[in-house]
Amino acid sequence: MNILVTGAAGFIGHGVIEELLERGHVITGIDCINSYYDPNLKYGRLQDLGIDKAKINGSESGTSIINSRKYENFRFVKGSIIDHDLMEKLFENGKYEKVINLAAQAGVRYSFENPYSYIQNNIVGYFNVLDLCRKFGIRHFIYASSSSIYGNCNNVPFKESERTDNPESIYAATKKSDELMARVYSSQLGLPTTGLRYFTVYGPWGRPDMAPFHFMKSVLEGRTIKVFNNGNLSRDFSYIADIVNATCKITEDDRFSQSAYSDKALCKVYNIGNSSPVKLMDFIGTIEKIAGRTAIKEFVGMQQGDVYRTYADTSEIEKDYGIKPSTSLEKGLKDFYKWYRDFYK
């Protein structure tokens, strides 16, 4: 298949592209490579896919297609999904069959500091991609949602049927907006859409702004970590390989694409998590065990926009696709620890 993946330099984008290429698909990736977190990590992910930093920096945004030196079926464009003219040219020339939208302004807490970036990227940019999928007859639009959409839901585990109209952050509100727009495009315009509510993804090539990366780095460097809500939090951690496998399996499945542009177009959202919440103190303890060092902890109150727990009910995705993430936290963190030591020497 010929597939467009946005957010190609991102954590999940890198993994999804690599797996789809290994499965023989033709992939075009796009990413603006912003500086929300260390761009060198993003360049490193692209380098791993055969896209050299020097070539990226030597090209003007949106004007050059860079071919991978590692995968003959992969090409990369530096640019933003906010740029409608650029995205329209990509769709016009690419003749894609499916689109995976992973590009977004990430981060819960940062959404209070710079909400404008979230509106531009997660709503305007997302809408550009969504509408172009409709215009160019894309067979299936798959997009990243988030577990943050549930807010401080009291009913656990979180089911897709749960009400999600009480977001705790601007980031969560934008993801809710994305799901609503997808629903309209499916029900009224016949575009098959699938939203994936990812639950706290971690592993090799992970994001520095997320707790697994931040805690591992701080423990190894002997820096103090802030333990929010005095440690009374729990998270449903999802290993990157499980997330990648689920995303690729849904992308490759054509059972629903046959109804494209009919009155019964697919409109689904799925939880993707490990269905096994881990208490924050147990999580820190596992990192200490793997790293062989004791964390320096500072116990503080709750963070703005944070939630007390996440817990995915994955029965829907298991029923429809046979997907059941199962990588243990200890194995996942061991893999992450090895990658971290290798990448940062």
Side-chain angles (χ1 to χ4, degrees):
M1 276 189 296
N2 187 7
I3 304 168
L4 173 67
V5 181
T6 72
F11 177 26
I12 299 174
H14 160 264
V16 166
I17 289 172
E18 183 176 48
E19 180 63 23
L20 288 173
L21 288 168
E22 293 291 342
R23 297 184 184 196
H25 299 291
V26 178
I27 308 296
T28 299
I30 182 170
D31 201 296
C32 65
I33 315 179
N34 67 24
S35 57
Y36 167 64
Y37 60 80
D38 184 10
N40 287 319
L41 179 55
K42 300 179 182 183
Y43 285 120
R45 294 176 185 137
L46 290 172
Q47 184 83 22
D48 188 56
L49 295 172
I51 305 294
D52 296 326
K53 180 179 179 180
K55 288 189 176 181
I56 298 171
N57 291 336
S59 67
E60 293 185 24
S61 180
T63 61
S64 300
I65 292 176
I66 303 168
N67 293 313
S68 169
R69 54 173 173 70
K70 183 177 178 181
Y71 296 99
E72 62 179 4
N73 288 340
F74 180 49
R75 62 182 194 166
F76 175 77
V77 176
K78 183 180 180 182
S80 172
I81 61 172
I82 299 171
D83 186 338
H84 184 273
D85 291 341
L86 165 61
M87 295 305 298
E88 187 162 38
K89 287 177 184 176
L90 266 185
F91 273 81
E92 204 166 48
N93 297 327
K95 303 189 186 308
Y96 308 115
E97 298 168 71
K98 298 189 179 183
V99 173
I100 306 173
N101 188 67
L102 302 174
Q105 175 58 64
V108 170
R109 285 164 290 283
Y110 185 61
S111 69
F112 293 100
E113 298 175 33
N114 188 9
Y116 180 80
S117 179
Y118 290 77
I119 301 303
Q120 285 295 102
N121 286 281
N122 301 3
I123 294 183
V124 176
Y126 170 89
F127 176 76
N128 283 340
V129 180
L130 176 67
D131 191 55
L132 288 167
C133 285
R134 183 233 6 126
K135 180 177 179 180
F136 286 91
I138 299 302
R139 285 162 46 196
H140 194 178
F141 174 61
I142 301 101
Y143 64 97
S145 187
S146 168
S147 62
S148 66
I149 201 169
Y150 290 104
N152 275 310
C153 177
N154 291 321
N155 299 323
V156 293
F158 302 162
K159 297 178 180 291
E160 291 88 345
S161 58
E162 187 70 37
R163 290 187 63 175
T164 54
D165 51 5
N166 288 294
E168 298 291 334
S169 66
I170 295 298
Y171 171 71
T174 63
K175 290 299 183 179
K176 172 68 174 179
S177 299
D178 291 348
E179 290 190 5
L180 292 173
M181 285 189 279
R183 176 165 292 280
V184 173
Y185 268 68
S186 291
S187 64
Q188 301 301 316
L189 300 173
L191 172 66
T193 65
T194 300
L196 305 177
R197 294 175 178 173
Y198 297 130
F199 280 67
T200 315
V201 188
Y202 74 101
W205 297 105
R207 278 172 35 200
D209 62 314
M210 295 185 70
F213 193 114
H214 174 66
F215 286 178
M216 182 69 78
K217 182 176 189 293
S218 297
V219 168
L220 289 173
E221 295 179 356
R223 299 177 182 271
T224 301
I225 60 173
K226 289 185 177 181
V227 182
F228 291 101
N229 201 39
N230 297 306
N232 296 314
L233 299 172
S234 63
R235 292 289 180 269
D236 195 346
F237 292 99
S238 310
Y239 186 56
I240 182 62
D242 291 333
I243 293 293
V244 165
N245 175 62
T247 305
C248 292
K249 189 166 186 177
I250 289 170
T251 301
E252 289 183 322
D253 195 295
D254 269 336
R255 78 184 88 175
F256 299 115
S257 296
Q258 306 309 316
S259 63
Y261 308 98
S262 71
D263 292 335
K264 296 182 180 179
L266 164 77
C267 180
K268 295 285 288 186
V269 291
Y270 292 107
N271 293 330
I272 306 182
N274 228 45
S275 300
S276 181
V278 178
K279 293 179 180 178
L280 180 56
M281 295 308 298
D282 292 339
F283 174 72
I284 295 171
T286 305
I287 289 180
E288 291 175 319
K289 176 184 174 182
I290 291 168
R293 303 186 185 188
T294 301
I296 304 169
K297 309 174 191 73
E298 177 187 356
F299 291 88
V300 297
M302 194 71 165
Q303 280 193 107
Q304 184 181 33
D306 213 345
V307 297
Y308 295 105
R309 60 187 169 185
T310 61
Y311 186 175
D313 180 313
T314 58
S315 56
E316 281 296 307
I317 198 169
E318 186 174 3
K319 178 184 70 177
D320 288 353
Y321 290 98
I323 292 169
K324 182 69 175 174
S326 60
T327 302
S328 70
L329 180 68
E330 185 162 356
K331 181 191 182 304
L333 284 176
K334 282 180 178 177
D335 289 348
F336 174 61
Y337 172 75
K338 182 180 184 304
W339 169 84
Y340 185 93
R341 295 297 298 265
D342 289 344
F343 187 78
Y344 289 102
K345 311 300 180 189

